[in-house]
Amino acid sequence: MHQYNCIFGMTRIPRPECDELHQTALSVNSHTVIVVVDDQIYSVDVYDSEGRRKHDGDLEAELGAVVADVTYRRIYGDLDPAVTVLTAGHRDCWSDAYAILEQDSENSATLSAIQNSLFAVSLDTTYSSPAESINAQQLNVKCHGTRPGHNRWYDKCASYVFDRNGAAGYLGEHSPCDALIPAIMLEEVAKNVAKQSIVQGVPSKSTPGYTPQVQRLRFANVDPKVVALIEQAEAEVAQTARNSVSCQIRFEGYGSSWIKRVAKISPDAFVQMALQLTYYRIHGELAPVYETASTRQFLHGRTETVRSLTSEAADFVEVMESGASSAADKYDALVKAAAKHQTLLREASAGEGVDRHILGLRMAYRRLEPLPGESPMTDGEKHAIEEFFNDAVLAKSTTFQLSTSGLFPAYYLMHTGFGCVVPERAYGINYIIEAGRIKFGVEGKTKTFGKGTDVQLFEVTLCKALSELKLLCGESN
């Protein structure tokens, strides 16, 4: 439950070498949110003077007043520089700009107001086109499709994004908490809270005579060095967006119900094997695979790595690609690979994985000084440690060309996703296994930048592999 405390009032602050996470009693109990329109930032009170949440109609009036104020200032050329873009760019550049902004009292007050707000709301002047396209909607949500990196404050842990069509999205700053936590919250809101609060054609409840109080947060007198860093960030983020390709896949052939009933295999393990088979068929080789295992059973637990590429998984792919293998051979290999995967998942969730342990050793080696009375490491000891961390097999096995993570059966989440962790022939894949379908969010790079990455081919190949596995399991059971 600890991570639920990390959603609201949490902000990432850029610092040299290592960022900070800012959350205080003031920010957690804040009565304000920040609203971003056309890169202009406003503070909106969401509670009244007696500590009660404002009526929905009053909040709508506040948002309308913000939009009207930005429209007016746009007409008369009174917009502040797009400091927001810096939150999307290189952290060191943002750190340099932040240090300059802090020196000005008004800019520093704006930064503090942002950090002490509950969350961010981005109201986009653009909209997803075509309106019903989930791929277009995702592109708009994650980076403001027409102007990448604009109109977001990526450093807030929770950011809600709304386009002009009313499509809603959520961006999460991953440092304080894992994606599962806000996903559970958003599913609950969409499933229950929204249905109770929103009635089509019925005006929202409001306070008679309510008058919005527009509170603009200024970035005024911005140093030319900061303006130059904004322009640098704009170019960087635009190039990052051009190099990225993403898609949403909705496989409607079956879901967890069929996998459990007919295939008689863990749905998660089943999908993991399908992903590895897909990758092999595209690239002709197996890929190191990361899958998220939750360690939330421990206080402050986050994740551990499930190394899904096992000897059993490799055998499964080999048998599937062998023309001499029978259906029984293929199904048997699938069952064995899935069983091994489930064992690794249980072990990782119980804290018995290896990757977080290796990370701890690496951090201890780099940052910890010898204890009192303890002799410093000898050159030979340092060499042995460096040799271990620089081992070619360790480096290869942690170059996760398939970075994957599954969520619970979230019916109301239209699309999800995250980026690949390495650029070459790599994919970042989030998936949701519902009872009757499977949803995938896939991100990779362009064929040129990704040196062979092909997101469109991945979609086609994955759907074909899933259909083939259905025939295989049906024939074998």
Side-chain angles (χ1 to χ4, degrees):
M1 298 296 292
H2 166 75
Q3 290 186 55
Y4 286 100
N5 299 320
C6 301
I7 298 178
F8 300 111
M10 178 73 78
T11 311
R12 180 170 173 167
I13 300 177
R15 297 298 186 197
E17 297 186 6
C18 184
D19 289 354
E20 296 177 4
L21 291 176
H22 173 91
Q23 187 187 52
T24 64
L26 176 63
S27 66
V28 170
N29 295 290
S30 175
H31 286 187
T32 66
V33 301
I34 61 166
V35 178
V36 189
V37 180
D38 208 359
D39 293 308
Q40 308 304 295
I41 304 175
Y42 291 76
S43 177
V44 171
D45 289 315
V46 293
Y47 291 86
D48 63 21
S49 58
E50 297 182 10
R52 297 171 301 196
R53 190 179 79 82
K54 291 184 178 180
H55 294 311
D56 291 351
D58 298 346
L59 295 175
E60 290 170 10
E62 291 282 0
L63 296 178
V66 168
V67 172
D69 192 67
V70 173
T71 302
Y72 173 85
R73 296 181 186 282
R74 186 189 305 116
I75 293 172
Y76 290 97
D78 185 29
L79 299 182
D80 289 341
V83 174
T84 52
V85 181
L86 289 166
T87 68
H90 196 287
R91 301 304 295 181
D92 287 345
C93 293
W94 177 209
S95 175
D96 292 342
Y98 190 95
I100 297 172
L101 290 169
E102 277 188 308
Q103 295 173 13
D104 179 270
S105 59
E106 186 172 14
N107 295 336
S108 180
T110 292
L111 292 170
S112 294
I114 293 170
Q115 292 156 17
N116 291 323
S117 65
L118 290 169
F119 53 84
V121 176
S122 292
L123 302 180
D124 286 353
T125 54
T126 59
Y127 57 89
S128 306
S129 181
E132 299 302 317
S133 169
I134 56 175
N135 287 332
Q137 183 187 358
Q138 187 203 42
L139 178 63
N140 193 64
V141 166
K142 68 182 181 183
C143 69
H144 196 285
T146 57
R147 302 180 69 202
H150 280 266
N151 214 51
R152 306 283 183 269
W153 196 268
Y154 287 99
D155 289 355
K156 290 301 290 184
C157 181
S159 292
Y160 299 85
V161 180
F162 301 88
D163 72 8
R164 290 179 62 185
N165 285 332
Y170 180 94
L171 285 169
E173 188 355 84
H174 209 316
S175 303
C177 66
D178 301 317
L180 174 66
I181 307 306
I184 293 173
M185 176 189 69
L186 294 169
E187 180 77 359
E188 173 64 21
V189 169
K191 182 179 180 180
N192 295 315
V193 179
K195 285 186 175 181
Q196 297 169 5
S197 305
I198 302 173
V199 180
Q200 194 72 25
V202 178
S204 300
K205 183 179 180 181
S206 60
T207 302
Y210 181 83
T211 302
Q213 302 294 321
V214 175
Q215 302 174 60
R216 188 184 184 195
L217 302 178
R218 299 293 308 274
F219 281 113
N221 303 316
V222 175
D223 190 289
K225 295 178 182 178
V226 175
V227 174
L229 288 169
I230 291 173
E231 294 172 352
Q232 180 179 328
E234 284 179 321
E236 174 197 345
V237 175
Q239 186 59 56
T240 299
R242 284 193 293 270
N243 290 338
S244 174
V245 180
S246 60
C247 75
Q248 296 296 311
I249 304 169
R250 290 185 173 179
F251 180 76
E252 304 285 354
Y254 54 87
S256 59
S257 295
W258 179 89
I259 296 173
K260 289 185 284 189
R261 186 181 72 257
V262 179
K264 297 180 173 57
I265 291 172
S266 155
D268 181 75
F270 185 96
V271 169
Q272 284 288 320
M273 295 310 116
L275 292 173
Q276 294 190 47
L277 179 61
T278 298
Y279 188 96
Y280 184 87
R281 287 178 171 176
I282 295 173
H283 297 289
E285 61 181 6
L286 296 167
V289 186
Y290 168 95
E291 183 191 1
T292 304
S294 175
T295 54
R296 290 174 61 215
Q297 62 178 298
F298 301 102
L299 182 65
H300 299 171
R302 293 288 299 267
T303 64
E304 177 55 279
T305 302
V306 181
R307 290 172 168 256
S308 301
L309 177 57
T310 61
S311 297
E312 290 81 0
D315 290 343
F316 160 70
V317 172
E318 181 179 356
V319 171
M320 286 294 296
E321 297 303 275
S322 171
S325 300
S326 66
D329 293 333
K330 294 176 180 179
Y331 179 72
D332 183 61
L334 174 61
V335 170
K336 290 179 179 177
K340 178 64 174 181
H341 181 82
Q342 283 302 101
T343 298
L344 292 180
L345 178 58
R346 285 192 296 270
E347 290 175 350
S349 298
E352 297 176 6
V354 298
D355 286 270
R356 300 299 176 264
H357 182 63
I358 292 175
L359 174 63
L361 292 174
R362 192 189 300 272
M363 298 299 290
Y365 171 62
R366 291 182 176 177
R367 297 190 175 187
L368 296 184
E369 297 294 331
L371 296 172
E374 187 178 42
S375 300
M377 279 187 278
T378 65
D379 290 342
E381 290 171 332
K382 290 181 180 179
H383 176 75
I385 294 172
E386 292 286 352
E387 195 173 48
F388 169 75
F389 287 132
N390 294 323
D391 181 81
V393 174
L394 178 61
K396 173 66 176 176
S397 70
T398 52
T399 303
F400 295 113
Q401 291 170 297
L402 277 179
S403 180
T404 72
S405 184
L407 283 175
F408 60 95
Y411 176 80
Y412 288 90
L413 299 184
M414 291 179 61
H415 53 72
T416 57
F418 52 82
C420 59
V421 296
V422 294
E424 297 182 10
R425 299 183 304 283
Y427 307 86
I429 305 170
N430 188 245
Y431 55 90
I432 296 173
I433 310 173
E434 297 177 4
R437 67 177 175 180
I438 309 173
K439 298 183 290 193
F440 299 87
V442 183
E443 194 276 342
K445 306 309 175 189
T446 61
K447 292 180 182 179
T448 301
F449 188 77
K451 297 184 179 180
T453 302
D454 195 330
V455 172
Q456 285 80 14
L457 181 59
F458 195 95
E459 176 180 4
V460 173
T461 308
L462 175 60
C463 290
K464 182 178 179 181
L466 289 168
S467 297
E468 182 181 335
L469 288 175
K470 181 178 183 179
L471 294 174
L472 169 66
C473 294
E475 182 179 341
S476 302
N477 290 302

